[in-house]
Amino acid sequence: MDLAELQEVADREAAASKAVRFRVCSAAGCLSSGALEVRSGLEDAVEREGLGENAQVCAVGCLRLCCEGPLVRVDPDGTLYERVAPDQAASIVATLKGGEPSARRGDADRPFFSLQRSIVLENSGTVEPERIESYIAAGGYRSLHEVVREMNPAEVVDLVTRSGLRGRGGAGYPTGLKWGMVAKNPGPHKFVVCNADEGDPGAFMDRTVLESDPHRVLEGMAIAAYAVGAEQGYIYVRGEYPLAIRRLETGIRQARRLGLLGTQIFESPFNFRVDLRIGAGAFVCGEETALIASIEGRRGVPRPRPPYPAASGLWGNPTLINNVETFANVPPIIRNGPEWFASIGTAKSKGTKVFALAGKVRHTGIVEVPMGTTLRTIVETMGGGAPDGGTIKAVQTGGPSGGCIPEDRLDTPVDYESLAQLGSIMGSGGMIVMDQGTNMVEIARFFIGFCMDESCGKCIPCRAGTVQLHRMLSRIIDGEAAEEDLEPLRALCEMVKAASLCGLGQSAPNPVLSTLRYFEDEYRQLLRPGAGAAAASAGR
Ligand SMILES: Cc1cc2nc3c(=O)[nH]c(=O)nc-3n(C[C@H](O)[C@H](O)[C@H](O)COP(=O)(O)O)c2cc1C
Ligand code: SF4
Ligand code: FES
């Protein structure tokens, strides 16, 4: 494959494209509510009405407003239909002949859509994830070509560094810096790993990216491999994501067939192969050293760092581990330049962030916004606020490692530093909205319970500490605790944070600490004078 052949594929695709495209969301959310039947209904109607010359039905990725699925968008005019039933499909097709649709029209200009800025998801809802030709027609694999044929590896690392891209897996580590370390570390073999474990409750951003635009991630990985000198890549994807797995398998097969993965890519000496490794659902396997152990076939348990994977990862070799969204940012950075990317976002957090908006909010789904957008804009203006006339009480970001941010802090911009200052974290992008009916102590106990169940048990502070924290919170909820129990609760949180071996334990107390910080009155309402551990141990 060379550039001319890539262009030929794109030209053929453009020539075959019909004037009207019925784009049916075929990501997991809409498929689970009947998108497949809607798609068949549209295809049958197009054929029946003899519109095949003029119109086509495309199975695309997530159209973002997942709560209103199955969604259909008719392009080029962008008419959106929500909650489409299979028996309404024909009426949508009939609009081409002046008919009235029986399906509900959605407002494609509502802030949920208009305030989004698409970089990672620019192809989501447009390209067909199961067809590489569709990705190529959208400019796909051109960035890889540019890198492999026109740049040396050090230039690629430098370009990514200048873009200011930071890892989207949670900690926000500078991506170019990490690539540079792997590139510099010697080794006969190096590896690139895509972390697609996505274990946070409420998070579905990475799944959406993989289901909607798998080639974007493969291209990003290939660019990274060229930059660091790796010939083998692995995508560690959780087993609970069968559709993402299937689309990745299809994508890898298609890319290999066209010579975009494999040997002598773009007729250069660069070789890169990608294989999948399927996780078995342990949250801790998202932690990079546990993930490495799991790929190697060992039990997925973290180990102390250093050495970091960049120096000693898979089978002791330098290994680059990045998140799905991190890799998905790379091709547009190459295409548009580092200055373009660095001009979006805030001083220290560049680009956009994809969030999975869930919980007590009217519009749930996927949003991609520039870094620096306020939480209020996301949950109130875009998300439409709490449903059924309720009011928002708090927003939880960062999953079990994050914290609960109260309503009066919603004007905080989303960037790594601002969220950390509030006692939460950006995390990988889960955003759970809570309304006034939510009991914050219950929320704290839920997340500690999650970490308790998911603790690998290797180190005592996390293994025993999460159990103790869970017990202490249960005593509070059951009305068996008193004032003097709050300080030991805080102290144990600090101890677990300070003494745990890996990020799971180090961040597990965050939901407790942040709810204590902002919602202490809710804890106090549950306390009982004369109860509590001290009273119990004194025999009272
Ligand atoms: C308990 C735990 C779970 C994690 N789960 C994930 C995950 O599902 N996906 C992910 O990309 N990073 C996860 N991470 C972070 C990874 O260890 C690692 O920092 C990240 O994959 C690096 O990619 P980035 O630099 O692109 O952010 C997790 C960390 C911990 C401590
Ligand atoms: S902090 Fe928890 S999950 Fe991490 S190594 Fe220790 S016991 Fe395992
Ligand atoms: S899954 Fe269809 S809109 Fe998100």
Side-chain angles (χ1 to χ4, degrees), residues 428-510:
S428 53
M431 192 176 277
I432 301 171
V433 183
M434 294 152 196
D435 69 3
Q436 291 299 339
T438 312
N439 178 325
M440 302 310 286
V441 189
E442 291 274 11
I443 291 289
R445 183 172 67 167
F446 167 79
F447 281 112
I448 274 293
F450 178 84
C451 291
M452 177 179 78
D453 291 343
E454 295 294 331
S455 168
C456 79
K458 180 168 178 167
C459 64
I460 294 170
C462 169
R463 184 180 71 222
T466 50
V467 175
Q468 285 305 324
L469 287 171
H470 192 263
R471 272 196 201 142
M472 288 163 111
L473 290 168
S474 294
R475 285 173 51 81
I476 293 174
I477 289 167
D478 295 343
E480 292 170 7
E483 170 78 32
E484 69 259 31
D485 292 316
L486 287 188
E487 216 30 63
L489 178 67
R490 275 200 184 88
L492 184 56
C493 282
E494 296 299 347
M495 191 279 279
V496 172
K497 268 172 85 86
S500 290
L501 172 62
C502 87
L504 192 154
Q506 287 161 6
S507 59
N510 284 350

Side-chain angles (χ1 to χ4, degrees), residues 10 36 70 73 78 107 136 150 153 224 259 271 347 355 373 413 460 472 506:
L36 215 53
R73 196 181 65 220
D107 177 5
I136 291 173
E150 291 169 31
N271 307 323
F355 290 101
T373 304
I460 294 170
M472 288 163 111
Q506 287 161 6

Side-chain angles (χ1 to χ4, degrees), residues 235-293:
I235 304 177
Y236 189 87
V237 55
R238 59 192 290 116
E240 292 91 331
Y241 286 178
L243 184 63
I245 292 170
R246 206 185 73 214
R247 289 191 175 158
L248 282 168
E249 283 169 346
T250 305
I252 292 169
R253 216 173 31 246
Q254 291 171 339
R256 284 178 69 91
R257 202 185 62 229
L258 293 187
L260 298 166
L261 288 177
T263 52
Q264 301 186 338
I265 294 169
F266 285 122
E267 296 168 7
S268 77
F270 172 54
N271 307 323
F272 184 54
R273 180 191 160 100
V274 177
D275 289 299
L276 299 188
R277 289 293 178 267
I278 312 300
F283 176 56
V284 75
C285 282
E287 194 280 336
E288 56 190 20
T289 60
L291 186 151
I292 285 170

